[in-house]
Amino acid sequence: MKIKMKWSLENKFYVFSLCVIGICFITFFTSKAWMYDDNSIMQTPFHTEINGLDQTTLILNKWEYNPKRELMEVSITTKHTGSDQVKPTFSFVAKEKDSLESYPVEVVYKDEENMVVQVKKVPKDFRVIGLFVQEKRDQMIVENEMKATLMESSGTLDQDQNEIVYKAPKPKELVIAGDYRKIKINQNLETKDPIDYQTEQINREIKQVDKNLLALEKEQMPMQQKLISSIEKEIDTLEKTMEYQTEEEKQESMAEIIAKKEAIENAKKDQEESEQEAEKLKEKREKLYKKLESLRPDEEAKQIQIEKQNDQLESNNASKIDKKEVPKKSQSSWEKRKTNKQKSSDTKPD
């Protein structure tokens, strides 16, 4: 009897031990899915210039992911900053960090300065995706550049070879990294029409223009005016105290006043430049709105018509309120039926 009880206890102990080991095993290998990830974030900064290519500076605008479709979308601005007369083209490869597997990449939108790239079949358990951007310069420009460089050298290494031999350099490449903790989850993400992408890009430009304009009008320009007013008060104080100063002190005060007046002139020039910049931004914003309207003229015309109708309704409502008109009590359905019945009986022949 004692042997059976002992055997039963040992079995329970073994089962309990196996359960604990199993729980620890599962916890260890799935902890990243539900526990805090203390690994350093490997996200390329948004809205910041990314250097590393020969002719182009990149800016990462947006990075979204739809887990249902396993679809990623990356929005990039390209600024041509090199000397090539022909702008380079780009190719893309997407890979998971520390993995040789690559995912399908497609450029779904492209204009003079913007590109939208989609990465497909990205699993839900991804951690860091690297988007490899390769800059491909015009072949003739590269060849002429290499020939000009080699022509300046003393000659070739082969004494029987008169023709200059050159090898084209490997295209420059950089990696834009997307960390799952910084990539925005968008359950509605899907491939849109080119006009929708263009609209999105224009709205982004308008938003940036508004941001810059706000910084000028609400921060920089008032600060410049405040500086001018402050210096003018200091000059006024110095001029009043000069009456009670010696000749030597007056000369020092005059020199200080002259310096402060020069500072005022410089501040006014800065203020004028800020005002001109503000006007340029307003003009640019107006152009962007016109460009936005030109994309969907029919829809814009409908929107304008709706706005006009709303304005007319508001005007009518306002006039009614001004006249203090009391609305007539509407008839109920029973009263309407009764009235109609009465009318029908009146029209019956005798």
Side-chain angles (χ1 to χ4, degrees):
M1 186 69 178
K2 290 181 179 179
I3 294 173
K4 288 183 178 179
M5 288 180 65
K6 186 177 180 181
W7 180 252
S8 177
L9 289 172
E10 287 179 354
N11 285 343
K12 288 180 180 179
F13 175 76
Y14 290 138
V15 170
F16 177 75
S17 300
L18 287 173
C19 290
V20 170
I21 293 171
I23 291 170
C24 293
F25 183 83
I26 293 170
T27 302
F28 178 78
F29 285 100
T30 63
S31 60
K32 290 295 183 184
W34 55 273
M35 290 181 66
Y36 173 72
D37 190 350
D38 58 352
N39 291 328
S40 59
I41 295 176
M42 300 184 66
Q43 175 66 50
T44 298
F46 292 91
H47 314 298
T48 304
E49 291 188 351
I50 308 168
N51 299 313
L53 301 177
D54 278 331
Q55 301 291 314
T56 315
T57 299
L58 303 181
I59 297 175
L60 177 60
N61 298 315
K62 188 175 67 172
W63 199 320
E64 295 183 343
Y65 176 63
N66 186 341
K68 292 187 293 185
R69 294 175 174 266
E70 296 188 337
L71 177 67
M72 274 185 174
E73 190 171 271
V74 188
S75 175
I76 304 169
T77 296
T78 62
K79 291 185 176 181
H80 183 61
T81 54
S83 58
D84 288 1
Q85 296 299 316
V86 179
K87 290 184 179 180
T89 57
F90 304 92
S91 63
F92 301 90
V93 176
K95 293 181 180 180
E96 175 85 20
K97 183 179 178 291
D98 300 328
S99 173
L100 298 176
E101 182 183 2
S102 60
Y103 304 115
V105 179
E106 182 184 359
V107 179
V108 294
Y109 175 76
K110 181 182 177 183
D111 60 27
E112 288 296 316
E113 288 191 346
N114 300 287
M115 287 188 296
V116 178
V117 181
Q118 286 188 345
V119 185
K120 302 177 180 178
K121 298 181 181 179
V122 181
K124 298 179 181 66
D125 60 349
F126 79 93
R127 285 295 176 263
V128 178
I129 298 293
L131 184 64
F132 293 75
V133 185
Q134 191 176 80
E135 180 187 56
K136 296 182 177 181
R137 298 172 63 193
D138 183 78
Q139 191 63 29
M140 290 187 63
I141 293 176
V142 175
E143 289 179 4
N144 290 333
E145 193 176 272
M146 292 299 299
K147 286 178 181 179
T149 302
L150 291 173
M151 286 292 289
E152 295 176 358
S153 62
S154 57
T156 62
L157 296 177
D158 192 344
Q159 59 181 341
D160 297 325
Q161 185 179 358
N162 294 323
E163 183 182 356
I164 297 175
V165 179
Y166 66 92
K167 184 179 180 180
K170 186 179 179 180
K172 283 292 183 69
E173 185 180 72
L174 62 79
V175 183
I176 301 175
D179 193 296
Y180 77 101
R181 290 163 290 185
K182 293 297 180 181
I183 293 174
K184 182 180 178 182
I185 299 298
N186 182 358
Q187 301 288 354
N188 299 318
L189 178 65
E190 60 182 0
T191 305
K192 299 189 283 286
D193 292 330
I195 195 169
D196 293 321
Y197 288 115
Q198 193 174 2
T199 300
E200 188 176 314
Q201 298 293 345
I202 295 171
N203 282 324
R204 184 181 293 114
E205 287 186 63
I206 291 173
K207 187 176 179 181
Q208 186 61 42
V209 168
D210 286 338
K211 183 180 177 181
N212 295 339
L213 187 60
L214 185 67
L216 276 173
E217 293 184 336
K218 300 298 182 181
E219 296 176 15
Q220 191 167 337
M221 291 167 64
M223 184 179 66
Q224 290 166 344
Q225 184 58 48
K226 187 176 180 181
L227 176 64
I228 292 170
S229 300
S230 178
I231 297 173
E232 286 176 342
K233 288 179 181 179
E234 291 177 4
I235 291 173
D236 186 58
T237 302
L238 284 170
E239 288 177 342
K240 288 178 179 178
T241 56
M242 282 178 64
E243 184 180 354
Y244 309 103
Q245 292 178 339
T246 64
E247 289 299 323
E248 185 177 352
E249 290 173 336
K250 286 181 180 180
Q251 290 179 1
E252 291 177 358
S253 295
M254 281 300 300
E256 192 173 350
I257 288 171
I258 291 170
K260 289 184 180 298
K261 286 183 177 180
E262 289 179 358
I264 288 175
E265 291 301 318
N266 292 332
K268 286 182 177 180
K269 287 180 181 179
D270 292 340
Q271 192 178 41
E272 186 177 349
E273 289 176 2
S274 297
E275 290 172 356
Q276 291 174 355
E277 181 64 24
E279 290 301 318
K280 289 178 182 178
L281 287 171
K282 289 176 182 178
E283 183 181 1
K284 184 178 180 180
R285 183 176 59 184
E286 186 67 25
K287 297 290 184 183
L288 287 170
Y289 274 121
K290 286 183 178 179
K291 186 177 180 181
L292 196 62
E293 291 171 6
S294 67
L295 295 179
R296 289 189 173 93
D298 295 337
E299 291 186 14
E300 185 65 27
K302 289 179 182 177
Q303 184 64 30
I304 291 172
Q305 186 64 28
I306 290 170
E307 289 177 359
K308 285 182 177 179
Q309 290 175 356
N310 291 337
D311 291 342
Q312 186 64 36
L313 286 172
E314 290 178 3
S315 177
N316 293 339
N317 291 334
S319 63
K320 287 180 181 179
I321 293 171
D322 290 340
K323 293 177 181 178
K324 297 182 179 180
E325 291 183 355
V326 180
K328 296 180 180 179
K329 184 178 179 181
S330 59
Q331 288 181 313
S332 65
S333 57
W334 179 83
E335 289 173 333
K336 288 180 180 179
R337 287 198 301 270
K338 184 179 179 181
T339 304
N340 293 334
K341 188 176 180 181
Q342 182 67 31
K343 287 182 178 178
S344 61
S345 63
D346 292 342
T347 54
K348 285 183 180 180
D350 295 335

